[in-house]
Amino acid sequence: MSEPVITSQTISGIQTGVARIGEGIPVIALHGWQGSIKSFWPVAERLAPLGYEVHVLDLPGFGQSELPPGVWSVGDYTRFVIAYLDQAGLDRVALLGHSFGGRIGLVLAADYADRVSKMVLADSAGIKAALPLKNRIILGLWRALNGTLEIIHANGLRDRLRARFYRRFASEDYQNAGPLRDTFRQVIQENLAPYAQRIKAPTVLIWGDQDADTPLWQGRKLEQLIPDAGLVVFKGAGHFAYLDRLNDYIRVVDHFLKNGS
């Protein structure tokens, strides 16, 4: 795999890393949380010779792109991608998304249906899962304790306990979110099932049956919600199913984008 040639463009006032390769059917690829252009570059390199013009972005806060100017929602990231499409003169594209990029794809394909011809989502996030009872109890106890410590102004103790709580119970993505922590918290609280139901674009869902981050049941749920969707399961693959089975992923994407409606 060669290194992508990344240029810097100003999109919605944000300096953004952008890479483009190939000529033909326009495709935009949206990486997952903590990802970057490099996350989708193996895909872009394989699709380009098959007749595709692949656009890959460093989403705000990742790769070579600046942080968003505040706490962003999935809708904010979606409007950012639309701003890029407008700036690049792309009226209608095929959309590839992974995990967090799938969240953006769900909202974009629902709210901007005329901009998406077809969509392929790999191990997409967006279906909000209920916390197990044990986790709900722990979270409730922590919130009660946190509130008590604030009332008695025990800020030092509260901060030390908060740090220990996050190290013990918070996800790796949350712990590593840094300045995007509030954005991460905002994003994962959004249930995108209502958006999935409004999607008109034909959609293929690709899932690893060993995905522990967005389990396979979430892919099956999206298949039920999206009116024109099919689910392809890669056995033995995990949350990065599109990279774990890159050859198979490319075959599915190429066939889907070049055939049918």
Side-chain angles (χ1 to χ4, degrees):
M1 183 185 79
S2 65
E3 287 294 312
V5 177
I6 302 175
T7 62
S8 183
Q9 299 181 23
T10 302
I11 304 168
S12 297
I14 298 172
Q15 287 298 116
T16 304
V18 176
R20 187 177 74 181
I21 186 172
E23 296 181 357
I25 299 170
V27 174
I28 189 161
L30 306 176
H31 63 74
W33 191 266
Q34 294 187 357
S36 69
I37 286 170
K38 292 184 179 181
S39 304
F40 254 115
W41 197 245
V43 171
E45 275 197 320
R46 295 288 294 277
L47 284 179
L50 301 178
Y52 297 91
E53 179 184 273
V54 188
H55 298 249
V56 194
L57 308 179
D58 280 334
L59 295 167
F62 303 98
Q64 297 185 21
S65 292
E66 293 179 330
L67 289 165
V71 178
W72 270 23
S73 65
V74 179
D76 291 316
Y77 277 99
T78 300
R79 287 183 284 276
F80 173 85
V81 174
I82 288 294
Y84 173 76
L85 297 182
D86 291 343
Q87 194 164 305
L90 298 172
D91 293 330
R92 204 158 185 253
V93 295
L95 188 151
L96 310 180
H98 169 244
S99 194
F100 172 59
R103 288 185 191 269
I104 299 170
L106 293 172
V107 176
L108 198 154
D111 285 352
Y112 302 89
D114 60 325
R115 307 300 295 271
V116 180
S117 58
K118 293 184 178 182
M119 186 162 64
V120 181
L121 303 183
D123 301 282
S124 177
I127 298 298
K128 191 173 181 180
L131 283 174
L133 178 60
K134 178 182 177 182
N135 296 60
R136 294 201 300 271
I137 293 172
I138 291 171
L139 183 59
L141 291 172
W142 161 247
R143 286 173 173 167
L145 176 60
N146 185 63
T148 300
L149 294 175
E150 285 187 357
I151 290 172
I152 65 175
H153 303 292
N155 296 333
L157 176 60
R158 181 200 63 195
D159 292 344
R160 289 194 297 275
L161 290 176
R162 178 185 292 157
R164 290 178 63 184
F165 177 83
Y166 287 153
R167 283 197 300 271
R168 177 85 181 270
F169 299 107
S171 70
E172 182 179 343
D173 280 344
Y174 181 83
Q175 293 185 52
N176 295 331
L180 286 173
R181 186 167 286 177
D182 289 338
T183 290
F184 178 77
R185 190 157 42 209
Q186 165 70 30
V187 162
I188 64 170
Q189 289 174 352
E190 298 181 50
N191 179 19
L192 304 182
Y195 290 90
Q197 293 174 307
R198 295 194 285 111
I199 291 171
K200 297 178 181 178
T203 301
V204 166
L205 304 165
I206 292 178
W207 234 269
D209 68 349
Q210 301 302 306
D211 186 348
D213 296 310
T214 52
L216 180 56
W217 71 262
Q218 296 186 16
R220 294 194 173 110
K221 182 66 174 179
L222 281 176
E223 184 184 25
Q224 294 172 358
L225 291 170
I226 298 172
D228 185 5
L231 175 66
V232 178
V233 179
F234 287 168
K235 291 186 177 181
H239 185 57
F240 288 81
Y242 75 104
L243 293 178
D244 293 343
R245 297 272 294 277
L246 181 59
N247 290 340
D248 294 325
Y249 175 83
I250 294 296
R251 279 195 291 270
V252 171
V253 170
D254 185 41
H255 178 80
F256 174 60
L257 295 187
K258 288 179 178 172
N259 292 275
S261 58

